[in-house]
Amino acid sequence: EAAIKDYSKNKEKESYIALGHILHLIEDITVPEHTRNDPHPGGDRSSNYEIWTKENSNGLTQDLGKRIYNQGRKPVIYSDLEAYFNTLATYTNTHFFSPRTINSKLYQKPKIVYEDGTFAYGKDENGELFDLARIKVNTKYNKDYALDSKQVLQEYWIRLSRQAVVNGAGVIQLFLTQAEEAKRAEIEKEKQSKLKSSFLSQIYNFFKSPEAP
């Protein structure tokens, strides 16, 4: 709301800075740890996904928006900002693991639906299988999983980055629509205020005139 108000008053710099903060939050929601209550300050509690994307950011983000557009993807459109946060957080939470919540009893999803001895697979929003985790230990009595595989992290990135872009584009579109409406309303408000001021001024001048009755 503050960003829209700034925009309506021609404070575009301030409004776009606020929009940037919102887009940063949208990106944060596409990190599984942020939606699965999994603190990752670093060290032995780091984020495999954040580390991998940071180390490969140049290649991963180059022409990302253009590539997603060429795939036929369009901005996600909702009527309010809360819908973007809630829907995207639910998507990330229910389709991806974080390092310390793999098969956690705290979360019903995602589900491992298939294993090939090396990887465990889940289903994405389109029902397609993708690498959900690496099978770390697999014996008759013990099975463990990890997210430290480039193949797994790349599969996460393909889906999560796509959601960050199409939702972010939708947020920008929502902002510009609401901001322009607010700006038009502000212009009309100023116009009416000037007309009212002019009318009152005319009345005042009329009664001030020596010819007034």
Side-chain angles (χ1 to χ4, degrees), residues 57-69:
S57 61
N58 290 335
L60 292 173
T61 58
Q62 186 175 6
D63 296 326
L64 178 61
K66 183 178 180 180
R67 285 186 276 123
I68 291 175
Y69 176 81

Side-chain angles (χ1 to χ4, degrees), residues 50-197:
E50 286 190 333
I51 292 174
W52 183 79
T53 53
K54 181 179 180 180
E55 292 176 347
N56 297 276
S57 61
N58 290 335
L60 292 173
T61 58
Q62 186 175 6
D63 296 326
L64 178 61
K66 183 178 180 180
R67 285 186 276 123
I68 291 175
Y69 176 81
N70 289 338
Q71 293 171 5
R73 307 285 177 176
K74 296 181 179 180
V76 173
I77 303 300
Y78 296 121
S79 60
D80 59 80
L81 195 57
E82 185 177 0
Y84 283 98
F85 288 131
N86 291 340
T87 305
L88 188 54
T90 299
Y91 169 79
T92 304
N93 175 276
T94 57
H95 287 84
F96 305 91
F97 289 134
S98 65
R100 289 155 289 278
T101 65
I102 299 175
N103 285 342
S104 170
K105 294 180 180 179
L106 295 174
Y107 303 102
Q108 296 182 352
K109 295 180 179 181
K111 296 288 188 183
I112 294 174
V113 298
Y114 172 72
E115 296 183 6
D116 62 7
T118 303
F119 294 102
Y121 300 85
K123 287 188 176 182
D124 65 13
E125 69 274 20
N126 299 314
E128 297 179 357
L129 288 174
F130 73 101
D131 303 74
L132 194 55
R134 178 179 70 84
I135 300 175
K136 188 176 180 181
V137 178
N138 188 8
T139 67
K140 183 178 180 180
Y141 304 102
N142 187 22
K143 182 178 287 189
D144 197 8
Y145 304 91
L147 303 180
D148 56 0
S149 164
K150 175 182 177 181
Q151 184 169 320
V152 170
L153 297 171
Q154 189 165 4
E155 290 287 284
Y156 276 42
W157 164 261
I158 290 171
R159 291 159 178 81
L160 289 166
S161 64
R162 183 168 61 211
Q163 291 300 321
V165 170
V166 296
N167 278 273
V171 168
I172 293 173
Q173 185 169 327
L174 175 65
F175 167 77
L176 291 175
T177 299
Q178 293 183 343
E180 287 295 338
E181 290 177 354
K183 192 171 188 177
R184 287 193 292 270
E186 184 66 25
I187 291 173
E188 182 63 25
K189 181 180 177 182
E190 291 178 359
K191 181 180 178 181
Q192 293 299 325
S193 178
K194 288 179 180 179
L195 287 173
K196 182 179 180 180
S197 176

